[in-house]
Amino acid sequence: MKILYLLFAVFLLLFQATSGSADPLFPDTVECRTQGNFCRAGACPPTFAATGSCHGGLLKCCSK
């Protein structure tokens, strides 16, 4: 039974993601957020304009 705890600890350490260790999954999302904008599914709110895309083109990048 103790081996299960050990295996769980090994899997936890093995599959733990480290920040900054890999390329971002969606570079367009990172670019949108670094400019101070946000991503939204559907239309942007009335006072915002769609300036690009996020999540590989599935969402819109909304900016003021």
Side-chain angles (χ1 to χ4, degrees):
M1 204 59 181
K2 289 183 182 180
I3 191 78
L4 290 177
Y5 294 115
L6 180 63
L7 283 175
F8 179 70
V10 169
F11 282 125
L12 182 67
L13 290 174
L14 239 161
F15 296 114
Q16 181 180 3
T18 340
S19 64
S21 66
D23 292 334
L25 189 57
F26 298 109
D28 55 350
T29 303
V30 173
E31 182 181 346
C32 178
R33 297 237 172 116
T34 55
Q35 294 174 354
N37 304 330
F38 63 93
C39 300
R40 181 159 181 167
C44 294
T47 59
F48 293 87
T51 57
S53 64
C54 296
H55 293 282
L58 296 175
L59 302 177
K60 294 179 181 166
C61 180
C62 300
S63 66
K64 202 135 188 138

